[in-house]
Amino acid sequence: MERTQGRRDDELRPVEIVRGFTPNASGSVLFKAGATTVLVTAQISDSVPPFLDGKGVGWLTAEYAMLPGSTPTRVQRRTDGRATEIQRLIGRSLRAIVDRKALGPCTVHVDADVLNADGGTRTAAITASFVAVADALKRKFGDRAGTILRDSIAAVSVGIVAGRPVLDLDYPEDSTADVDVNVVRLGGGGLVEVQGTGEGGVFSRPQLAELLDLAEAGIDRLATLQKEALGADWPWPA
Amino acid sequence: MERTQGRRDDELRPVEIVRGFTPNASGSVLFKAGATTVLVTAQISDSVPPFLDGKGVGWLTAEYAMLPGSTPTRVQRRTDGRATEIQRLIGRSLRAIVDRKALGPCTVHVDADVLNADGGTRTAAITASFVAVADALKRKFGDRAGTILRDSIAAVSVGIVAGRPVLDLDYPEDSTADVDVNVVRLGGGGLVEVQGTGEGGVFSRPQLAELLDLAEAGIDRLATLQKEALGADWPWPA
Amino acid sequence: MERTQGRRDDELRPVEIVRGFTPNASGSVLFKAGATTVLVTAQISDSVPPFLDGKGVGWLTAEYAMLPGSTPTRVQRRTDGRATEIQRLIGRSLRAIVDRKALGPCTVHVDADVLNADGGTRTAAITASFVAVADALKRKFGDRAGTILRDSIAAVSVGIVAGRPVLDLDYPEDSTADVDVNVVRLGGGGLVEVQGTGEGGVFSRPQLAELLDLAEAGIDRLATLQKEALGADWPWPA
Amino acid sequence: MERTQGRRDDELRPVEIVRGFTPNASGSVLFKAGATTVLVTAQISDSVPPFLDGKGVGWLTAEYAMLPGSTPTRVQRRTDGRATEIQRLIGRSLRAIVDRKALGPCTVHVDADVLNADGGTRTAAITASFVAVADALKRKFGDRAGTILRDSIAAVSVGIVAGRPVLDLDYPEDSTADVDVNVVRLGGGGLVEVQGTGEGGVFSRPQLAELLDLAEAGIDRLATLQKEALGADWPWPA
Amino acid sequence: MERTQGRRDDELRPVEIVRGFTPNASGSVLFKAGATTVLVTAQISDSVPPFLDGKGVGWLTAEYAMLPGSTPTRVQRRTDGRATEIQRLIGRSLRAIVDRKALGPCTVHVDADVLNADGGTRTAAITASFVAVADALKRKFGDRAGTILRDSIAAVSVGIVAGRPVLDLDYPEDSTADVDVNVVRLGGGGLVEVQGTGEGGVFSRPQLAELLDLAEAGIDRLATLQKEALGADWPWPA
Amino acid sequence: MERTQGRRDDELRPVEIVRGFTPNASGSVLFKAGATTVLVTAQISDSVPPFLDGKGVGWLTAEYAMLPGSTPTRVQRRTDGRATEIQRLIGRSLRAIVDRKALGPCTVHVDADVLNADGGTRTAAITASFVAVADALKRKFGDRAGTILRDSIAAVSVGIVAGRPVLDLDYPEDSTADVDVNVVRLGGGGLVEVQGTGEGGVFSRPQLAELLDLAEAGIDRLATLQKEALGADWPWPA
């Protein structure tokens, strides 16, 4: 099996991160990993959900959707089970890096819309969200963004395709994978989520370890790309 | 009153038309008019709605949505009354140029998603849709696209702002306009829709005539831009 | 082509306006234009929608529905795209004559229910709504109704049927019309809405002008009928 | 306690039955009992619900709604628990008189819309429905209507108000009643539904018997009014 | 016709009442009548619905659902018309024994979930609810439960099956019954609800009387079983 | 920290498996792990979802719900994001052991209803589902059940509580855990799902390995209990 465009098994697809893609949202990032294209916006409102009223801490919430034209066959606009699962994952992951006390009584709204889908949209959404949230916090809070955020966060998918562990599956790979693991990790190390699924197959402990090795290397690379994209707006001292 | 960036009263905002913005949809157009940014995709399925079963003719349907990050304050994802009204307008307008018999038993799905809103999103969506539909028909039917489409179509808004008739209102103008008229017209002339609304004011017959003059000149210009954008893929002989 | 019951091209259908058709609602008008029958009620509540809280001004909102038995084949009870579009039109039109500051923090609820549909239900609803709202305001505010309302308002449809411009289309005419224009105007002149649609066809500027002439004459006649129906309750000095 | 307009305890409110109130529906009856006003339409479609496919028998289904202006304070358009309960009662009652085999694979759609509510709307809807259904069956099936319908059906409410059993409660009576019983009966005798509720109170077996006596006398009177209203269209030999 | 397991016509199915079936809810009763199995929980919250705000009185509300596996063929999870009707009946019945003033500004939530359905689930739910509510009130209010509750309440179904009046119909009997009457009564006498339905048939006044006799005897027996089940927690002096 | 009832860190809560808890469903299992109580039913219908029409293979689908009385404070009946996520997990897990070709064109419906919640409801639901599905397949297909099922499956949660890795968290432990991992595994080994979440914390690779060791030992024990519960109905030769 040859990977598309001759990718090595441990190689990410080409990544492109465009900040400020649209002007109205405080944070707006167009993120491409190969043909997968996600637009993530971050907006901050000065209120919190009812269950946090008067507690002085903030919240972060996420929504995820696929635009109808994002796949070769049109998809309907609706929040199905898969989308629900993904937006919960995005929200949980991003909350892991937000010091909600330092944030204060605000809500960060993250919206990830898939403009074109070619595998790995949920992990792309998480990686892009970090950049969008950093931008939005910077615009509102200036240098305090670096105390509200604890670390950077990024995610990638790994899987066993045709018997071989590979990094960053595109759609054709994903749809034939025996095992699929999504990994979310802090830039500085520290796993936030590991979601491994035997899609029609099962996996062993050693296979899981090998996949996590691949994923961690990929996340290291994504963390570097996030830092390069943010440049002088990286929330912490370089 | 000075218009933003020194625009003349009869001047369009700068227009940018990017074809093939995303690869999966047959037609995919990123359309900008000033800061208003709309992504329109067109996809063709080989089936028709129940009410056309067995009649041998096709259909075109449209959906319109604003992404949550498209405005400075986040908008919720939902098809409210305004969106319903707009998507009906887009569908009706585009059906005016489709020879549904020549199309045959297919459905053209147009999806207009507003990535950034600064006034005139519905007319931008119509103007962009023509390009996306032309691309999708070309990809599926080749040169027959020119017999399925009867003409090009474009739309623009005009209004009376601070007592003066102006072309192509941006959001600050739109929100203070006394009268607002959306005009949809074939490239070759022939009005398809005229929707004039006294927003808090009323208007006279002479005012309406003056606004339609402005709109027709704007549509002539948009028709030229559509033709330039499609280049060799313009569906008819140049 | 002969019009039903020998109507001239510039002739309205017979109009009947029954005030106080039901006793519970403050305003209740049964309005017939030929076989088209609409029941419009107006009720005033002492509260405003959240977006007007504390602003001291009032609001007017409208709902439109077709009863299941209003057409030869039963229609389902649901607010589809068409109904949404119509109720937004009714609300916008009626708000054009309401001085919301003079109204104060109240909401006028207009409900237009089509009991029998034979074309022109939306314009019938607007014309009837004026009478129902006038009655409701009179009952609650007495002579102050005349300062809350700025003018009367009425609406009519015009269209090109079999090549001829005609006034007040019934259903058979409407379903074969090439062009259909709904016009809403103040009793004293001043256009509020002009919605022209080429239903399968297109229209020219001269055709639009001719149709607006027809519509204005029809609205003059409807304004007179509204005044006769209200009699001593006409909100302004005769 | 004096009843409104000096009614005796065993006296119905004045009843008015207008057949053909609207022309499009096959059966259309405006029914008034005092200030309670219900419009019932009946329409027959040539299809059956999925669970009856291919069985050769027909169905009758009913919907019930209150128009927003039917009460002094506006009611929202929605099928709440009460409406659901009522439309099930109407459907069940009317099916009791329909020979579904004789009807054949058709569905009778009954729609009862309350234009003005002053107590007893559900029983008014049932009594009116009989007339509307008879009209609709006559129009479609001619004299066969008399074999499809087994008997006439009517309904009335009775209750204990201020300690006294009374017939046909209006809204002020209904809202202070200790016990409320709705009775549905065939014209020729034969109870179809008895729904007795102690609204805040309880009732004894002798009280129930006394109320049923009152109800049966009321239904006898309603059956006569139905027969007079249908005149020559009464489905059976006089 | 022989009844299942040789039951006499006036004989209840074997009843089993398990209190405290689950620990988290304040009241939790597993109730079996033959194969019909219902789990009823009661929980008390310290708030009231908006329409009772500030009035100092409490409320009781009920929900009823069938678990998907409760019937031989899976039933979908949804509150259809039948469930709506039943949960309204349960709520109304239980409110008949609650002194809402003595309860104070609390809401008692009753949830009846059918684990296995074999006829008579709504009456089983009512009979079980009394025990669950008594338990929940006892846990929260101690001996004051006896002043909040006015009496016990129980319910049973009766019907005419193959021409014979029988008590406590199981599903095969219920589905062939000509008449079906659900009776809700206080332990001490006093009818709360009588809902008689001619399912495809009609019934006479003498038949109704005979059925009510059967039902009252059954309810007497159920009241005794409730008292035995509650034992020392019976809310009133023995 | 002492665990409730003196449990060791690697000790499961007491497990109780009651087969045939309700008679109507083909498979019906009441499963208790400590105070967590789940009722799982399995039913088999002779049809498949549309996307499998004519393919000759079967399907398994799952729904998960918490009864309102399952927690100390009442929970509303609704399929929120969490429930959606869980029912997708249950369905995916069980499909991993079903040979859908051997099953043929049938659908296995699994319904997991939480009667009492004390942590670990999703893993309890999976473990119970295996027994319910085995029973349902046995009842319908007899000994062929052993070829339709590939292996047994069970699940358990593990987590880091107060710094210590522990097995089978109850609710108090779960709500204070830093890390929470749900593990689904075949009886014979082979991971099906690993879902690790840093709830407010992060975790390292060595911690993950330690937790998976704990989980695997727990699953071995649960597999034994499943086998004991099924006894002679264990689908494969002992």
Side-chain angles (χ1 to χ4, degrees), chain A residues 69-174:
Chain A
S70 63
T71 58
T73 300
R74 186 178 185 272
V75 282
Q76 293 194 355
R77 295 173 195 274
R78 60 192 182 96
T79 307
D80 58 5
R82 178 183 166 276
T84 300
E85 203 171 282
I86 293 176
Q87 63 196 14
R88 283 167 57 87
L89 172 66
I90 300 172
R92 225 159 48 219
S93 297
L94 269 291
R95 282 194 294 275
I97 58 162
V98 172
D99 180 333
R100 289 167 43 208
K101 212 167 198 166
L103 174 58
C106 298
T107 299
V108 181
H109 298 273
V110 171
D111 286 279
D113 286 87
V114 178
L115 307 192
N116 201 74
D118 187 32
T121 61
R122 80 185 69 188
T123 52
I126 292 170
T127 306
S129 293
F130 167 67
V131 181
V133 169
D135 272 338
L137 290 172
K138 186 72 176 276
R139 196 191 283 197
K140 185 177 176 80
F141 296 108
D143 286 347
R144 276 192 48 220
T147 59
I148 295 170
L149 290 174
R150 294 195 178 107
D151 199 341
S152 68
I153 194 165
V156 80
S157 80
V158 283
I160 299 180
V161 179
R164 268 157 48 197
V166 294
L167 173 67
D168 191 18
L169 287 63
D170 61 18
Y171 181 74
E173 291 172 336
D174 189 62

Side-chain angles (χ1 to χ4, degrees), chain F residues 53-111:
Chain F
D53 267 342
K55 304 208 169 160
V57 302
W59 190 243
L60 181 147
T61 181
E63 293 192 7
Y64 166 97
M66 296 181 73
L67 293 202
S70 63
T71 58
T73 300
R74 184 178 186 274
V75 283
Q76 294 194 355
R77 295 173 196 274
R78 61 191 181 97
T79 307
D80 59 6
R82 179 183 164 275
T84 299
E85 204 172 280
I86 293 175
Q87 63 197 14
R88 283 166 56 86
L89 172 65
I90 300 172
R92 225 159 47 219
S93 297
L94 271 291
R95 281 194 295 274
I97 58 162
V98 172
D99 180 335
R100 290 167 42 210
K101 213 165 197 165
L103 174 58
C106 298
T107 299
V108 180
H109 297 274
V110 171
D111 286 279

Side-chain angles (χ1 to χ4, degrees), chain E residues 132-146:
Chain E
V133 169
D135 272 337
L137 290 172
K138 188 69 175 279
R139 195 191 284 196
K140 184 175 177 79
F141 296 109
D143 286 347
R144 276 192 48 219

Side-chain angles (χ1 to χ4, degrees), chain D residues 85 88 191-192 194 196 198 203, chain E residues 85 88 191-192 194 196 198 203:
Chain D
E85 202 172 281
R88 282 168 57 86
L191 294 164
V192 173
V194 172
F203 54 103
Chain E
E85 203 171 281
R88 283 168 57 86
L191 293 164
V192 173
V194 171
F203 53 105

Side-chain angles (χ1 to χ4, degrees), chain E residues 138-180:
Chain E
K138 188 69 175 279
R139 195 191 284 196
K140 184 175 177 79
F141 296 109
D143 286 347
R144 276 192 48 219
T147 59
I148 295 170
L149 291 174
R150 294 196 177 105
D151 200 341
S152 69
I153 193 165
V156 80
S157 80
V158 284
I160 299 179
V161 180
R164 270 158 46 195
V166 295
L167 175 67
D168 190 19
L169 287 63
D170 61 19
Y171 181 74
E173 291 172 336
D174 189 62
S175 54
T176 58
D178 296 314
V179 181
D180 178 21

Side-chain angles (χ1 to χ4, degrees), chain D residues 81-82 84-85 88 92 186 190-198 202-203 205 208-209 212-213 216, chain E residues 81-82 84-85 88 92 186 190-198 202-203 205 208-209 212-213 216:
Chain D
R82 178 183 165 275
T84 299
E85 202 172 281
R88 282 168 57 86
R92 224 160 47 219
L186 300 187
L191 294 164
V192 173
E193 292 263 348
V194 172
Q195 298 201 339
T197 303
V202 295
F203 54 103
R205 294 280 297 276
L208 178 59
L212 290 174
D213 287 341
E216 294 220 48
Chain E
R82 177 182 167 275
T84 300
E85 203 171 281
R88 283 168 57 86
R92 225 160 46 220
L186 301 187
L191 293 164
V192 173
E193 292 265 347
V194 171
Q195 297 201 342
T197 302
V202 295
F203 53 105
R205 295 280 295 277
L208 179 60
L212 290 174
D213 286 342
E216 294 220 48

